[in-house]
Structures are given as C-alpha cells and as structure tokens.
Amino acid sequence: MESIGVLMACPMSPYLEQELDRRFKLFRFWNFPQKKEFLRDNASVIRAVVGNATAGADAELIDCLPSLEIVASFSVGLDKVDLGKCEQKGIRVTNTPDVLTEDVADLAIGLMLATLRRLCESDRYVRSGSWKKGDFKLTTKFSGKTVGIIGLGRIGLAIAKRAEAFGCPISYYSRTRKTDSEYKYYPSVVELASNCHILVVACALTEETRHIINREVIDALGPKGVLINIGRGPHVDEPELVSALVEGRLGGAGLDVFEHEPEVPEQLFELGNVVLTPHVGSGTVETRTAMADLVIGNLEAHFLNKPLLTPVV
Ligand code: NAP
C-alpha cells in the first residue's frame, strides 16, 4: 500500500500521522502553502483524504482529486465533508462513531457541573488568594435539574444516562420521536428550552441545525437556564448568545465548540457563569488512539477490498 497517496487535510494526531506514514504515501496538506501547485503535481495519485472537525473534503477539493476513492474522517461529525458530492461520485466515506461517545458525554456532564457549581471561577478564587478575604459565593445545585437534549443520538443518549444518575429528569428534541425511549419528547426546540434548566446541543451540524440555538430559544431558556454546547459551534448564533449572557438574559453556558474556533468572543472571558473548553470533547489519549486505529482500519479495509468498519456513504 506504500504507493497509495493519502492526503491528510490538517494536523490532527501525531500517532495517526505516524501510522499513515508507515503504510501509505502520506501528503501533509498543511506543508504545502501553494495548494494549487501541490494539487496539480500530486492529485492523480491521491486516492484517500483523511479529515477531521477542522478540515475535511469540500466540493472544491473533491473536484481537484480525480483518483479519490475514500474520505476517512477522524471525527464522528461529517459537517466538513460534502456527503452529497461523495455519493454522486461513488466516493466512500467513513467516520469514528461510538469510540468517542463516552468522552464527549463525560465532558458534557463536566461542563454542566463546572458551570452550575462555578468550578473554574472557584479555582481562580483559591489561586488568587481571594479565599483569605472571605468565603466563595453560593452557587447552583446540579442534581435534579431538568436536562433537555437536542439530538438523542449516541452522544445525546450517553449524556441522558449520566444525567439520570444525578437525578435529572430528561427531555429531548430530535426530528423524530424515539418510540423506544421513555424520556419526554418535545416537538420543537423552543418547547424543549421552555421546559428545561439545562439545554444540551448534541445533534449533527447540518443546514437544518445551523443556528438551532437562536434568540427565541435563548429567551425560552431564560435567566436561570444554562446552555451546554458539545456539538458544533455553528449550532449557536454566537452574537445572540454573547449578548444574552452579557445582559443576564441567560443564566450561563458551558461551551466546547465555537462558531469561528479557535476564535472565541472575548466578552465571554469576563463572565464567571461561562466555562470554555477548546473543542476537546474526544480529546483523551485513549479515545484519540481508538479513533486513529479506526481511520487506519477503514483505509486498510477499503484498499484490501474488505467491508468498511464504519461506513457512512
Ligand atoms: P448520532 O448518533 O448520529 O446522533 C446525531 C443526532 O442528531 C441524532 O440523534 C439525530 O436525531 C440528530 N439530528 C440530526 N438532524 C437533526 C435535526 N435537524 N434536528 C434535531 N436533531 C437532529 O451522532 P453522535 O455520535 O451522537 O454525534 C453527535 C454530534 O456530536 C456529531 O455530529 C458532532 O458534531 C458532535 N461531536 C462533538 C465532539 C466534540 O469534540 N465536541 C465530539 C464528537 C462529536 P434524529 O435523526 O432523530 O433527528
């Protein structure tokens, strides 16, 4: 397989890079600032693209790669891959489901606890010596709060199970009601937001779900409500979120993803009721290794004419 050209869209995992390098003819796209010239000289040998949540395979790149057979994403979300184009051209697509579910759900619960109990703010309180001048203010209880989940898929369900263990009643919104679930279903995001304390975004990013968190939803969640986003940044209308937090129209937010990451609105840095993490939902050594192994397993299966491990298209 050493002669098979694999294009890695951006840096994502030194382990994955090393393992791809051992097996294939690996091209690191970021090492070639002159993209047009690079593609002119190498496109014909590139048979696979490896992308992630930052860079994948859009229509323009796919059109530049006449020998492309497979896009293997180092992520479960496929919003950076033009799935329609891949389907139309017979290009296979794989992602990394399941192996990251626990980590992302763990982080969602971590963000809920950190936001309501002000863990980051109280950590800063100790480090700055403020404790010597007086006790930290009282915070908000997490156990028993109603948790509303947008997208009861693999991650949404794992969050629900964890939150249930904290005594939290669970409700959800997705395109279809789950007949096998006893959680309360709301047929719209606004209704879900009106009836929960903590609203979690855990759905896929598509044209339909872009800005699924807008002013109306934020107002429905209200000054005691908390938004947790472990989905994708563009799920949230970020300027609306920032103004609601600054004006006190929303109680708080725990955010792992941002609309223009790694850019984060600086107004959020001043707010104690906001917890910010740098898109690290699946960011543990164990999970990133499992994701890398899945990417490699899918590529090897494809080029050995075996069934793909986690096919999407
Ligand atoms: P999944 O099992 O495919 O679940 C996706 C859910 O999205 C489904 O339950 C689906 O429900 C829902 N959905 C799709 N379109 C919708 C719409 N228009 N309105 C409402 N719900 C909609 O995927 P997963 O493994 O749980 O991953 C979910 C997402 O988490 C990924 O797509 C990714 O963006 C994000 N993620 C983030 C991180 C991170 O580091 N922060 C890590 C991994 C994943 P219905 O089909 O019933 O509508």
Side-chain angles (χ1 to χ4, degrees), residues 53 75-79 95-98 100-101 103-104 107 150-157 172-178 185 189 201-210 212 229-232 235 256-257 279-283 288 291:
S75 68
V76 68
L78 289 160
D79 43 287
N95 63 349
T96 58
D98 299 316
L100 46 65
T101 298
D103 272 357
V104 185
L107 185 75
I150 304 177
L152 201 65
R154 288 170 291 242
I155 294 171
L157 201 55
Y172 71 100
Y173 162 76
S174 63
R175 288 168 299 184
T176 50
R177 186 188 206 124
K178 311 291 165 205
Y185 176 72
V189 183
V201 183
C203 59
L205 176 64
T206 63
E207 273 318 304
E208 254 186 349
T209 63
R210 191 172 296 273
I212 199 165
N229 189 6
I230 51 82
R232 288 283 185 262
H235 279 131
D256 184 47
V257 286
H279 201 150
V280 291
S282 65
R288 290 286 167 86
M291 290 164 64

Side-chain angles (χ1 to χ4, degrees), residues 88-108:
Q88 178 198 329
K89 292 194 138 195
I91 296 165
R92 306 301 310 274
V93 177
T94 64
N95 63 349
T96 58
D98 299 316
V99 292
L100 46 65
T101 298
E102 291 179 340
D103 272 357
V104 185
D106 290 351
L107 185 75

